[in-house]
Amino acid sequence: QRGRRMFQQNKQRRERERKQQQQQANNMQVLSKTQKSRERDRQRLLKKWQKQFGRQLQENRHKTPLKHRDASVQVRETWGVVEELDFPRMSKLTLPDIGDGEDLMKCGSMEFYDKTYDRVSTKNERPLKRINRNLHKVTTTDDPIIRQLAKSQGNVFATDQSSPR
């Protein structure tokens, strides 16, 4: 609110000064030293305001609303709380008593990955190759194979798209 009010005040002041300048242009009045320094300061502040608030307005204009997503794992009443973790602790987490996960099913195929694409830069260019295939990005909850597995085995599932790398 405060920024908007100040912006409006500056806008009104600029309009007043612009009208005065138009009148002065008709009279061709020479500016004094103090008037020149004031004008310079005003121009500098104007650029500063445009940098600060112009960017904010552009950012707000391009933000898309967040999609509401349902949890992929439904918490059951029979589950007990072992430990609660916040995100900073979770990133450093190593739990010794939990073993590696078990692959219930392996689906799809993996093609050869050329590691020279990892080292691409402006000096070391590498043209991309077109691949004519249909690529499907399916969420974990919408994956038909996981839905089938959820009926018979397990209760927590992850795919290569949803698991941490």
Side-chain angles (χ1 to χ4, degrees):
Q1 290 291 355
R2 180 175 158 232
R4 184 178 289 161
R5 187 186 71 219
M6 291 177 71
F7 185 76
Q8 287 295 331
Q9 288 173 348
N10 284 336
K11 186 177 176 183
Q12 290 172 352
R13 183 175 45 77
R14 276 180 292 187
E15 289 175 4
R16 263 196 323 267
E17 289 175 356
R18 189 175 50 81
K19 286 179 184 177
Q20 287 176 354
Q21 285 177 353
Q22 286 176 351
Q23 290 174 356
Q24 288 176 358
N26 293 338
N27 298 339
M28 293 299 288
Q29 181 182 2
V30 178
L31 296 176
S32 68
K33 214 173 198 181
T34 56
Q35 287 174 328
K36 285 180 184 178
S37 66
R38 282 184 187 164
E39 182 64 23
R40 246 183 277 124
D41 290 343
R42 189 187 67 76
Q43 291 291 340
R44 189 172 36 79
L45 285 172
L46 178 65
K47 286 182 183 178
K48 181 182 173 185
W49 276 96
Q50 286 173 342
K51 279 184 180 178
Q52 279 181 336
F53 294 107
R55 192 177 299 132
Q56 286 177 0
L57 292 173
Q58 289 171 1
E59 287 173 3
N60 290 339
R61 206 176 299 144
H62 297 296
K63 284 185 182 174
T64 56
L66 296 173
K67 293 180 181 177
H68 175 71
R69 299 188 181 193
D70 295 328
S72 59
V73 177
Q74 298 298 323
V75 179
R76 298 183 184 159
E77 294 176 6
T78 58
W79 292 358
V81 177
V82 175
E83 187 177 353
E84 286 190 28
L85 301 172
D86 52 350
F87 281 113
R89 280 184 54 210
M90 200 157 122
S91 64
K92 301 173 188 171
L93 183 66
T94 55
L95 294 176
D97 58 337
I98 296 179
D100 291 338
E102 176 187 344
D103 290 337
L104 297 176
M105 185 180 292
K106 292 185 180 182
C107 302
S109 63
M110 189 72 171
E111 293 188 18
F112 172 75
Y113 177 70
D114 190 358
K115 290 194 175 185
T116 57
Y117 286 109
D118 290 340
R119 294 183 293 277
V120 171
S121 67
T122 53
K123 292 181 180 178
N124 183 20
E125 294 180 354
R126 176 93 182 180
L128 295 175
K129 296 177 185 173
R130 182 174 295 278
I131 299 174
N132 293 324
R133 287 190 196 87
N134 293 333
L135 300 175
H136 303 286
K137 288 197 173 191
V138 181
T139 61
T140 307
T141 50
D142 295 337
D143 193 331
I145 296 170
I146 290 183
R147 285 187 178 191
Q148 187 180 36
L149 287 172
K151 292 177 184 173
S152 61
Q153 311 170 337
N155 53 19
V156 177
F157 299 96
T159 63
D160 63 335
Q161 296 292 320
S162 64
S163 64
R165 295 171 192 209

